[in-house]
Amino acid sequence: MNNVIEGYTRCVQLINAEYQTLVNLSNDELRSELSCIEHHIRYSDDKNKAINEYLVKVYAIVKETARRFSEGNIVVTANPYDRLLATSYDFVEIQCDKAIYKNRWDVGGVPFVWNMVHYDEQLLGGILLHYGYAIEMATGEGKTLVATLPVFLNALTHNGVHLMTVNDYLSKRDFETTCPIYMFHGLSADCIEYYSRNDERMKRAYKADISFGTTSTFTFDYLWDHIAIRPEECVQQSHNFAIIDELDSILIDNADHPHIIGGANYYDIGRVYQENFPIVKELIEQGEGVLYSRDKLSCSAKFTDKGKAWLADKTEIPDLYNVERLYEIEDFDKMSTDAQNSVREKLDLQNVLLRLLLALVIFERDVDYIVSDDSVKILDQNTGRVKESSRWRHGLHTAIEIKENLKAKNDFDAMAVISLSNYFRLYDKIAGMSGTIMPVEDELLELYGLRCTSIPTHKLVIRKDEPLRIFKTSKDRDYAILDSIIENHSKGRPVLVGSKSVKRSEEICCLLDEYGLKYNKLNAKTIKDEAMLVAKAGEGDTITASTSVAGRGTDIKPSQQAIDNGGLMIIGTELFESVRVDRQLKGRSGRQGNPGSSVFFASLEDDILLNLDVEDLESLKECASRYSDSEISYDDIRCYFDKAQSNRELYFKTHRKATAYKDNIIAPQRRKFYQQRNSVLFNSDVAEHIIDEIVKEKHIDKRSIDPNLRELYSKTNELILRSRITNPNRKIICVPFSDNMCPFAIFFDVELAKMGYTYFCKEFKRQIILQVYDQEWKKLILYMMGDLDAREIEMLDDRYLKMIDEIHTIILNRLQNATMPFEVRDNHHICEDGSIDKDEKLPRERMHRTEKMRVESNAMCPCGSGKQFCECHGNSIRRSNERVRRR
Ligand code: ADP
Ligand code: MG
């Protein structure tokens, strides 16, 4: 036992002693005991200090509540909150003045009966989580229950507790499993995964004392809140305490993938990719190493010098590769716009060619992505799930769409980005848990300041992990896997066959088909049946072929018959990229002292061996040649697989550090920037103040701006009146403007806009500031997300300063030059009540665009039709533009 644990063991004893005293309380008394504590915390000056003081008492109450739920229904005197709950949740029923909390309810549509009371190890885990530790607790030790303790305690401050995990299935499952415990004591809890951002209930879910959700949704909502134009669009309230389940998966495996929101500018770039696709294909046909080289490990490929010359020739652009980095050109900023554009076009084409190369030689179907519903969908390598509505950046996604012969979807710019480490720095406190923490202890401390500790299991783990079985060829390995499946299946044991990719899993399924074995498939393509497939996976004669989908958090309960036959058998069809992931899969078996076993298979043809250096590879071969059998499961061979795996881990670790480094440079600026943006979002006076500063800085007479705004106001008012004719209930109108450089649109509240110029001005100024901020911030991000070299990373700071300067110029420009890109006809009189004389309708053909002006295609059409611009007048304009382009 380590020191940390020893220190807190005394606290566990105190909780248990307190717990004993609660037995004689009535249910109502138990509730009022808690509400007294809640009252004290609510009115104490230092809430965090107060919850520390009440830890023992509260943990005892939670444990006692869990015990009462285990023993059957709980009857209490109904209060208004119980009555409210009863309207939405089946587990509460009101009978006259009593509320009955049942101990059975549905979790994921499957019936569930509560029968858990916190063990000492779970109390210990709960204490450590409260004090901000990352705790390692083996699979099946009941981390979901552990979390109820610190979540409950910290929720008493009403400052919000965010309980996060890796996927929405687990998030909803854990919420549905535990919410009655919180709600019984009057705390509010919800899961953000049920709602979309524009759903009012989403805001409510964030306002709850306890919000469950995936890290990804939490992070994206943070970013969305910082590109919101209206305060009411924001959903996330605070960043008080985050508890992260499957912590290493989120903070380590996902640390490489910053969260990015795309939007604003949509490009139809498919054509360029389509045109260049045959060229790159032809280049590749000349063989690896000649015109291009690739490194499968780092997922990178590049053209050789010879390849670049070949491409310059093929594309008939002799100087295509003369410049590859902008900073190679001195005084780029001073070049003429045409010359700058010419350089940029070449860089863009270089990018297109490179992405096509990557799409063809690195990214693999059913490994990196799947094709479904005529779309390329990214597979999350850690969770085995589809990353819905996510696109690879820099045109890579488009390149893959072209490769798969699909229609290329529009691409977009990144608008907001944050790495997980910087997202979690927003929280006052974070803690987390997983079955595999200790292997990444140092990194968690370095990147997130998290202290780690491991908690002993409640019962001895008796799962038998057999040593790695190695074969000379992949074919022999697969037949050995098949034999092992058949052998265990015939003993009446459930078998879980885990593979790294959908492709690999399908290979195994083919083998099983060949031998007429029945099995269930659990992967990104069958995810909708996850709860049902998981429930079945513990039954005696079930074979489940799965990807990493079943690798984390999934609780497979073996049936009694399965336990009698030896428990769940885990078969790994190859080694994963880290020991942690292997251990996660193994951990599905042998939960809570159950019997079970695991075995992993490998072959000398496996990709993992690419992580060895040449010398090691040579000596592995030499070593293997000494054995004549096909199976070479010897320790002197196994050590090479260990080394390959640890090299892979090191590679990822280095990569994570580099990503963190880049995001850390931008972090202080983002903080400053977002603070400023938020103050404008929530207060239009701040916008006014910023404009005053800019006007001063640029030596402008502020009064010169006013006539332009007045003119815009009268035109806007006219549009509002017109739009009311088609829809008298309209509350918001989106008015398109242009500053002769860029189109932009402003949303006005119809009622307020009608009332006066002051509101119009405030909104106009506030929203242009927000939009210009976002537009320029996006450019910075776009740059930052590129494949920057060291020099470019150093230049990030300068970029930021340049951005701020540009923002000021653009804001001023918009104030002075904004016009409405439509002729608003004035030969028909609009009455004050919004009606128009005669049976006037706005004829489509009379709507003109003034020169060079464009309206955001997703904005509402100002004709008042209620349709988007691109579907209304914008459609005809787009078509006529296309005609012009084709000519
Ligand atoms: P982990 O997340 O640690 O892998 P889970 O929280 O999924 O584990 O719990 C695994 C299983 O153990 C669940 O079926 C849960 O019902 C059961 N369990 C957890 N704690 C207890 C307990 N104190 N008493 C009885 N069963 C428990
Ligand atoms: Mg879990």
Side-chain angles (χ1 to χ4, degrees):
M1 201 185 286
N2 64 39
N3 288 344
V4 179
I5 290 187
E6 225 165 300
Y8 288 117
T9 306
R10 169 92 188 110
C11 192
V12 172
Q13 290 161 359
L14 292 176
I15 295 167
N16 282 328
E18 183 73 33
Y19 166 71
Q20 301 293 343
T21 68
L22 299 173
V23 177
N24 296 325
L25 296 186
S26 70
N27 292 330
D28 283 346
E29 284 167 342
L30 185 71
R31 290 220 299 199
S32 71
E33 182 88 11
L34 192 275
S35 59
C36 278
I37 297 177
E38 194 256 3
H39 186 83
H40 273 118
I41 295 172
R42 188 190 286 258
Y43 295 103
S44 71
D45 294 337
D46 186 345
K47 289 185 178 158
N48 288 327
K49 198 165 152 225
I51 52 174
N52 285 345
E53 284 161 9
Y54 282 111
L55 184 145
V56 170
K57 254 199 146 131
V58 170
Y59 278 27
I61 290 175
V62 178
K63 181 168 171 174
E64 176 60 14
T65 309
R67 186 189 67 76
R68 292 185 188 202
F69 267 98
S70 298
E71 294 190 344
N73 296 348
I74 310 182
V75 182
V76 276
T77 307
N79 63 26
Y81 188 58
D82 298 327
R83 291 180 193 278
L84 182 73
L85 287 177
T87 59
S88 319
Y89 295 95
D90 285 345
F91 60 83
V92 198
E93 204 179 284
I94 304 292
Q95 281 180 12
C96 300
D97 66 334
K98 297 287 176 209
I100 301 162
Y101 279 77
K102 300 178 197 160
N103 83 332
R104 49 189 70 220
W105 51 86
D106 279 2
V107 173
V110 180
F112 167 83
V113 183
W114 181 277
N115 63 349
M116 300 182 276
V117 187
H118 305 74
Y119 309 131
D120 287 358
E121 293 76 9
Q122 289 175 321
L123 294 175
L124 184 62
I127 298 166
L128 287 162
L129 285 180
H130 171 70
Y131 288 112
Y133 276 85
I135 55 167
E136 179 173 275
M137 281 183 91
T139 311
E141 284 295 292
K143 291 183 281 294
T144 303
L145 188 64
V146 174
T148 56
L149 299 159
V151 165
F152 196 109
L153 178 65
N154 285 268
L156 293 174
T157 63
H158 302 294
N159 288 336
V161 177
H162 294 171
L163 187 46
M164 305 180 187
T165 188
V166 278
N167 64 60
D168 66 327
Y169 162 75
L170 292 176
S171 184
K172 290 176 191 160
R173 183 198 71 177
D174 289 356
F175 164 69
E176 290 172 17
T177 308
T178 56
C179 69
I181 301 284
Y182 308 120
M183 292 177 177
F184 176 76
H185 286 287
L187 291 170
S188 56
D190 209 336
C191 175
I192 57 172
E193 297 305 317
Y194 294 122
Y195 317 114
S196 62
R197 263 185 75 84
N198 49 16
D199 188 332
E200 271 303 306
R201 289 174 297 175
M202 178 67 126
K203 255 190 232 173
R204 259 202 338 246
Y206 270 112
K207 273 202 186 118
D209 298 316
I210 304 152
S211 315
F212 287 72
T214 61
T215 326
S216 176
T217 307
F218 276 104
T219 316
F220 275 127
D221 278 338
Y222 170 76
L223 292 176
W224 281 117
D225 280 0
H226 286 87
I227 52 173
I229 291 292
R230 290 177 300 143
E232 55 272 28
E233 289 168 29
C234 298
V235 296
Q236 217 164 75
Q237 305 282 320
S238 60
H239 299 99
N240 177 44
F241 182 24
I243 300 188
I244 311 161
D245 195 6
E246 304 298 345
L247 176 123
D248 60 319
S249 169
I250 290 170
L251 295 191
I252 298 291
D253 299 333
N254 273 321
D256 241 6
H257 310 290
H259 284 68
I260 301 165
I261 287 190
N265 271 357
Y266 293 86
Y267 304 115
D268 178 12
I269 49 168
R271 191 178 48 83
V272 192
Y273 281 81
Q274 190 84 57
E275 280 168 10
N276 288 288
F277 183 70
I279 299 179
V280 178
K281 222 168 160 213
E282 189 184 335
L283 176 142
I284 292 167
E285 277 156 17
Q286 326 248 343
E288 196 179 335
V290 188
L291 301 182
Y292 77 97
S293 64
R294 70 171 166 170
D295 179 4
K296 259 180 115 175
L297 293 180
S298 61
C299 287
S300 65
K302 53 185 183 205
F303 299 111
T304 59
D305 286 345
K306 231 171 145 185
K308 288 176 189 168
W310 189 92
L311 286 169
D313 194 37
K314 274 275 166 188
T315 52
E316 297 176 11
I317 308 175
D319 58 350
L320 176 59
Y321 282 96
N322 279 15
V323 174
E324 293 184 42
R325 297 277 169 191
L326 272 191
Y327 66 74
E328 288 169 10
I329 306 175
E330 250 179 69
D331 296 335
F332 175 78
D333 289 340
K334 291 188 191 137
M335 280 166 67
S336 74
T337 315
D338 279 353
Q340 285 189 351
N341 285 344
S342 158
V343 174
R344 286 212 172 93
E345 272 167 25
K346 281 174 210 139
L347 292 178
D348 286 346
L349 183 57
Q350 289 174 19
N351 180 56
V352 170
L353 296 166
L354 179 65
R355 302 300 149 186
L356 284 166
L357 178 72
L358 291 167
L360 282 163
V361 303
I362 297 288
F363 286 80
E364 226 184 306
R365 184 169 172 163
D366 283 345
V367 175
D368 302 295
Y369 61 91
I370 55 170
V371 175
S372 96
D373 306 330
D374 286 335
S375 310
V376 169
K377 297 189 174 172
I378 302 178
L379 280 176
D380 184 327
Q381 295 303 307
N382 299 309
T383 63
R385 283 153 212 271
V386 163
K387 286 182 168 177
E388 287 296 347
S389 66
S390 202
R391 281 177 76 79
W392 274 302
R393 321 244 28 99
H394 309 310
L396 175 62
H397 215 97
T398 313
I400 295 176
E401 282 162 344
I402 300 295
K403 165 186 157 187
E404 294 293 344
N405 222 349
L406 298 167
K407 189 175 172 319
K409 304 226 166 32
N410 285 344
D411 223 343
F412 47 75
D413 291 343
M415 287 180 72
V417 63
I418 192 166
S419 70
L420 280 176
S421 53
N422 280 314
Y423 177 68
F424 282 113
R425 275 187 205 142
L426 299 168
Y427 282 86
D428 294 336
K429 177 163 83 172
I430 63 170
M433 57 218 172
S434 166
T436 43
I437 292 275
M438 300 320 276
V440 281
E441 184 182 9
D442 295 346
E443 210 173 332
L444 285 172
L445 187 64
E446 188 183 336
L447 283 183
Y448 302 93
L450 270 170
R451 294 159 299 172
C452 303
T453 189
S454 165
I455 293 182
T457 54
H458 178 60
K459 286 188 186 156
L460 201 66
V461 180
I462 55 164
R463 183 188 64 236
K464 197 164 168 282
D465 294 323
E466 290 166 24
L468 181 68
R469 291 184 61 189
I470 303 163
F471 293 80
K472 281 194 171 157
T473 67
S474 54
K475 203 168 160 200
D476 290 340
R477 175 200 57 193
D478 285 357
Y479 280 110
I481 291 174
L482 185 69
D483 286 344
S484 176
I485 296 174
I486 294 173
E487 186 195 330
N488 286 288
H489 179 63
S490 64
K491 287 181 189 157
R493 294 179 68 181
V495 183
L496 176 70
V497 190
S499 298
K500 222 161 77 176
S501 63
V502 177
K503 188 176 157 205
R504 179 84 185 104
S505 179
E506 300 278 353
E507 283 168 14
I508 300 293
C509 292
C510 283
L511 261 181
L512 294 171
D513 283 334
E514 220 178 281
Y515 286 79
L517 289 162
K518 278 214 180 108
Y519 57 89
N520 291 330
K521 227 191 255 188
L522 178 54
N523 62 34
K525 295 178 182 173
T526 62
I527 212 94
K528 59 182 190 325
D529 301 322
E530 184 168 13
M532 190 264 293
L533 292 172
V534 169
K536 274 196 185 152
E539 285 169 16
D541 52 356
T542 313
I543 300 172
T544 310
S546 175
T547 55
S548 340
V549 163
R552 271 189 187 267
T554 318
D555 181 31
I556 300 176
K557 285 192 174 76
S559 64
Q560 191 52 49
Q561 180 212 5
I563 291 177
D564 295 343
N565 295 335
L568 178 66
M569 174 73 194
I570 303 289
I571 294 180
T573 65
E574 66 191 310
L575 284 183
F576 286 77
E577 308 237 293
S578 80
V579 181
R580 273 182 305 115
V581 186
D582 292 352
R583 268 178 56 191
Q584 284 291 342
L585 182 61
K586 289 176 191 171
R588 300 306 114 208
S589 167
R591 60 199 270 296
Q592 297 177 357
N594 280 337
S597 42
S598 78
V599 61
F600 272 65
F601 289 82
S603 87
L604 294 186
E605 292 169 357
D606 289 0
D607 277 353
I608 190 88
L609 293 177
L610 295 173
N611 293 285
L612 290 178
D613 57 32
V614 184
E615 279 165 27
D616 282 333
L617 261 181
E618 282 303 314
S619 51
L620 167 63
K621 269 192 206 143
E622 203 268 318
C623 197
S625 65
R626 279 189 250 134
Y627 302 102
S628 54
D629 283 352
S630 164
E631 178 162 6
I632 43 174
S633 308
Y634 302 101
D635 284 346
D636 54 348
I637 304 270
R638 283 195 191 104
C639 65
Y640 289 99
F641 281 82
D642 291 346
K643 189 160 184 194
Q645 214 174 18
S646 65
N647 284 352
R648 187 76 186 141
E649 283 167 14
L650 190 66
Y651 166 79
F652 282 124
K653 190 174 172 180
T654 318
H655 216 255
R656 284 194 292 270
K657 270 199 157 166
T659 309
Y661 174 68
K662 199 156 75 169
D663 196 65
N664 285 348
I665 293 183
I666 207 86
Q669 294 162 349
R670 179 176 39 227
R671 245 190 326 272
K672 233 179 353 190
F673 186 80
Y674 277 179
Q675 250 166 20
Q676 173 94 303
R677 192 193 187 282
N678 260 356
S679 51
V680 177
L681 178 66
F682 290 101
N683 186 352
S684 50
D685 290 342
V686 176
E688 195 69 52
H689 175 72
I690 291 178
I691 288 177
D692 283 348
E693 294 287 304
I694 300 174
V695 164
K696 229 193 281 164
E697 170 197 307
K698 305 268 175 192
H699 308 295
I700 299 283
D701 180 1
K702 204 179 170 193
R703 280 166 306 181
S704 69
I705 296 170
D706 220 36
N708 190 39
L709 293 181
R710 281 221 170 262
E711 195 187 328
L712 293 180
Y713 172 61
S714 76
K715 288 185 173 176
T716 302
N717 235 353
E718 188 147 357
L719 269 185
I720 288 174
L721 292 175
R722 279 174 194 278
S723 74
R724 280 237 148 167
I725 299 162
T726 46
N727 180 358
N729 297 324
R730 176 162 296 136
K731 292 202 171 69
I732 301 281
I733 180 172
C734 167
V735 182
F737 296 96
S738 165
D739 62 1
N740 282 328
M741 303 287 283
C742 284
F744 63 98
I746 306 285
F747 290 86
F748 293 100
D749 180 308
V750 170
E751 286 304 319
L752 294 174
K754 256 187 8 189
M755 270 161 45
Y757 177 61
T758 319
Y759 164 77
F760 168 85
C761 267
K762 279 192 167 176
E763 253 337 86
F764 187 81
K765 289 174 182 172
R766 193 180 68 85
Q767 290 188 35
I768 62 166
I769 291 189
L770 292 177
Q771 292 180 11
V772 175
Y773 271 15
D774 294 344
Q775 171 192 318
E776 295 307 299
W777 181 244
K778 188 186 74 186
K779 285 188 200 157
L780 185 79
I781 287 171
L782 207 64
Y783 172 77
M784 191 183 115
M785 297 307 299
D787 304 325
L788 302 191
D789 63 12
R791 165 104 191 265
E792 285 163 319
I793 290 178
E794 262 176 34
M795 287 156 61
L796 271 175
D797 265 334
D798 294 345
R799 276 258 164 183
Y800 179 76
L801 293 178
K802 199 167 152 225
M803 177 191 85
I804 296 292
D805 188 47
E806 273 166 19
I807 281 177
H808 292 177
T809 310
I810 299 170
I811 290 175
L812 205 54
N813 205 30
R814 290 208 171 161
L815 288 170
Q816 289 176 317
N817 300 324
T819 50
M820 205 179 280
F822 290 92
E823 282 180 4
V824 178
R825 299 172 59 214
D826 49 11
N827 53 346
H828 287 113
H829 177 66
I830 298 184
C831 308
E832 264 312 293
D833 64 356
S835 64
I836 294 185
D837 288 352
K838 302 192 296 181
D839 57 342
E840 147 95 3
K841 278 194 197 97
L842 248 119
R844 280 174 159 239
E845 61 276 17
R846 297 294 298 269
M847 301 278 288
H848 291 299
R849 241 170 28 127
T850 48
E851 262 178 51
K852 278 194 177 172
M853 291 180 188
R854 278 178 44 217
V855 180
E856 291 270 332
S857 66
N858 54 354
M860 288 290 172
C861 188
C863 75
S865 66
K867 292 182 188 164
Q868 284 195 333
F869 180 63
C870 59
E871 310 211 298
C872 194
H873 290 86
N875 196 16
S876 50
I877 292 165
R878 190 168 62 193
R879 267 189 270 119
S880 69
N881 280 350
E882 274 167 6
R883 276 199 296 279
V884 174
R885 240 180 278 133
R886 255 183 259 132
R887 258 182 239 141

